[in-house]
Amino acid sequence: MKRRVLRWSLRGAALALVLALGGFLVAVSGIVPVGASGGHWAITEWMLQFGKRRSIATHTLFAEPLELDEPWLVLKGAGHYETGCRPCHGSPDLPSPRIAQAMLPRPPYLPDVIGERDPEALFYVVKHGLKFTGMPAWPAAHRDDEVRALVAFLLAMPELDADEYLELVHGEAPHDTAAGALPDLVEPAVVPDVVAHHCARCHGTDGRGRGVAAFPSLAGQSREYLERALVAYADGDRHSGIMQPIAADLSDADRHDVAIYYAGLDAGAPVERVGPQERIERGEEIARGLAERGAPSCQDCHGPAEWARNPAYPRLSGQFADYLELQLELFRSGHRGGSQYADLMHHVAPRLTPEDVRDVALYYASLTPSHDDARAER
């Protein structure tokens, strides 16, 4: 009996070796076509699709339900979809991108197939990408908040027509991205081409971030801070699957022009009204420092204060509360990154509780922005 088992084991091993050697010789010969124009055999296509579906199902089996409650998530996801996804997957105003039609496998037109996937499966594919398809993983592996935003948009896209899609993606920015004059200024400023083409769609030509926390308000930020932030994105030191590809595509002169333009805009009134008042007041106490926890004063670096701040530090007054809260949470988790000064926050943010983070974000969102924050008022 033992000899029979041994004999069959040896035969099995020999067969496996022959098959492996045969596969290697076929690969070496180069006779297997790899051209996308030839398509797949039906059985190959079936196996690939079946294997993909089973892999996604297995890896999302115990996934936590996605939270997609933030009202600005869809808008944030739309901005990235236009840049990173539309060229292959199309959109309500471009159902069939020409180049994508010649890819193998052909990227699906997503409004037709989104209903076949649950949010957790979409999250998995967007975050991790798909092998053998050209679908990349999310460029910033730890930015699940950005992935959630894109999933929220994908779920909303099937209900959009072409005009609604363009309005969501571009807002008041011109769809042809042509530069022009910025209205409603005493001395109208010319919008640089780089702003019109790369920035206005999300941040607006007025720098107010389209009025919701999907995008930060940039108007009145210092040139030094904005330029350093763009360099950090481009170099991968500040992590964002949305901003990294855009910033990396800009030249040094482009980044300088963007920073100069947005720094020169009037920050105006707070971008949103927040409350309740007792939480804003507690946030002000936190901004003055929590000595018992070793958390220094926020105001020393970010204002409002009676002295000039380091222009490399961002102005927080009048910024969106949800945006500030997200940045602090990223610092708390060690996933924020930034310029050479970002390390300072990695020692401060972990000393704050989630409640502290929300309250201090509400406090800064309630302040009136100013260029120097010397005497910002609520």
Side-chain angles (χ1 to χ4, degrees):
M1 182 67 180
K2 290 183 179 180
R3 289 183 179 179
R4 184 178 299 174
V5 171
L6 179 60
R7 186 164 56 250
W8 281 105
S9 297
L10 291 174
R11 289 175 179 175
L15 178 61
L17 181 61
V18 169
L19 291 175
L21 181 60
F24 176 74
L25 291 176
V26 169
V28 168
S29 71
I31 63 174
V32 178
V34 296
S37 60
H40 287 307
W41 293 331
I43 184 63
T44 304
E45 178 70 18
W46 182 87
M47 284 296 298
L48 289 172
Q49 293 299 324
F50 177 76
K52 178 184 72 175
R53 290 192 297 269
R54 293 310 311 149
S55 177
I56 294 171
T58 297
H59 285 87
T60 58
L61 190 59
F62 301 106
E64 300 245 345
L66 276 188
E67 296 183 7
L68 303 172
D69 298 332
E70 295 95 325
W72 41 264
L73 271 182
V74 171
L75 183 61
K76 184 174 181 177
H80 178 72
Y81 185 90
E82 172 74 4
T83 302
C85 311
R86 180 178 180 268
C88 288
H89 291 289
S91 60
D93 69 314
L94 182 68
S96 300
R98 296 299 297 273
I99 292 178
Q101 293 179 33
M103 295 175 66
L104 185 69
R106 179 183 295 184
Y109 177 55
L110 293 181
D112 289 345
V113 300
I114 288 300
E116 302 171 7
R117 299 282 184 268
D118 57 42
E120 291 71 35
L122 291 173
F123 181 90
Y124 178 83
V125 172
V126 171
K127 180 173 181 178
H128 299 287
L130 291 172
K131 294 179 179 178
F132 313 121
T133 68
M135 170 72 184
W138 195 256
H142 299 294
R143 290 299 303 271
D144 286 0
D145 60 292
E146 294 181 334
V147 179
R148 285 194 305 112
L150 186 53
V151 170
F153 170 74
L154 291 175
L155 294 172
M157 186 166 58
E159 304 300 321
L160 302 175
D161 61 26
D163 289 338
E164 290 169 334
Y165 173 82
L166 291 172
E167 175 64 25
L168 191 61
V169 168
H170 295 278
E172 297 181 358
H175 301 172
D176 61 5
T177 65
L182 178 64
D184 301 327
L185 294 180
V186 176
E187 297 179 1
V190 174
V191 182
D193 286 341
V194 63
V195 171
H197 282 79
H198 295 280
C199 312
R201 189 173 71 238
C202 295
H203 299 287
T205 52
D206 63 356
R208 302 292 187 87
R210 294 182 63 177
V212 291
F215 315 108
S217 174
L218 303 183
Q221 286 285 2
S222 72
R223 177 196 62 78
E224 291 84 350
Y225 171 74
L226 292 173
E227 200 162 1
R228 286 173 181 270
L230 286 171
V231 170
Y233 279 129
D235 292 345
D237 294 328
R238 183 168 174 179
H239 319 298
S240 169
I242 295 174
M243 279 299 302
Q244 282 174 334
I246 295 172
D249 194 41
L250 302 180
S251 66
D252 290 341
D254 288 337
R255 290 192 281 266
H256 182 74
D257 289 346
V258 169
I260 286 289
Y261 173 76
Y262 280 118
L265 298 180
D266 183 6
V271 289
E272 64 178 349
R273 296 298 177 184
V274 295
Q277 186 62 30
E278 59 268 21
R279 298 201 66 171
I280 293 175
E281 291 174 356
R282 182 174 182 272
E284 183 173 8
E285 294 177 5
I286 296 168
R288 291 173 178 167
L290 297 174
E292 67 278 11
R293 284 195 239 149
S297 165
C298 307
Q299 295 177 345
D300 287 351
C301 295
H302 301 287
E306 297 295 333
W307 51 86
R309 336 181 254 108
N310 184 336
Y313 298 155
R315 170 184 53 75
L316 305 185
S317 299
Q319 189 59 268
F320 296 103
D322 283 355
Y323 176 79
L324 293 176
E325 185 176 10
L326 172 61
Q327 302 310 302
L328 285 169
E329 289 297 344
L330 290 172
F331 275 123
R332 273 166 43 84
S333 63
H335 297 148
R336 167 59 157 72
S339 70
Q340 67 190 78
Y341 297 102
D343 286 343
L344 298 173
M345 286 301 300
H346 290 140
H347 299 287
V348 175
R351 302 175 190 271
L352 304 178
T353 67
E355 185 179 44
D356 296 335
V357 166
R358 184 61 184 171
D359 289 348
V360 78
L362 289 172
Y363 163 66
Y364 273 109
S366 73
L367 298 178
T368 298
S370 65
H371 281 284
D372 59 7
D373 275 343
R375 291 183 179 273
E377 298 176 352
R378 255 189 291 139

